[in-house]
Amino acid sequence: PLLHEPGRLFFAGAPRGIDDRLQDMLRPIFSHISREDHCERAAYLHLIRAILSRTRLAGAQLLDCSGWSYMYVSHFPCISCVSIIGQVVRHLPAVRMEVSYDNAWKTRSAKGREAAQADAC
C-alpha cells in the first residue's frame, strides 16, 4: 500500500507546515466564526498531505488513489466539516470515506453516556 495510517488522534487546530495550496484544497465554510481549525479538517489535511508526498514519489496523482478512510468524531460534524468531507471525496473519488460520530452533548457526562447507551439499543 501507498499509505497505511493505523490511527491517530486529532484535536482542533490546523497542522503546522501545511502548504497554502493544500489548505486551499479543503476550504472551510465561514459562518459567524472561523472554522479552519476544526479537527476534521486537520485530520484530512494530514491525510492528503501524506498521500500527496507519496504519490509524487510514485509518479501518481490523487485521482489514482483508492482505498478506505475511517474517521470517528466525538461530536456531530458542523456544516463546514460536512463540506470538508465532500471536498475530500472530490479529490479522492476512489477512496471510501466513512465517518462515525457521537453526540458530545449526551456523552460528555456519565449520566449522558448512560442515556446514549439506551438510545443505541
Side-chain angles (χ1 to χ4, degrees), residues 80-92:
S80 182
C81 292
V82 170
S83 165
I84 294 294
I85 294 164
Q87 292 171 65
V88 172
V89 169
R90 184 184 72 209
H91 293 298
L92 297 166

Side-chain angles (χ1 to χ4, degrees), residues 102 105-119:
D102 266 326
W105 299 114
K106 286 187 175 183
T107 58
R108 274 198 175 156
S109 68
K111 187 174 182 178
R113 284 190 295 278
E114 289 170 13
Q117 288 173 357
D119 289 347

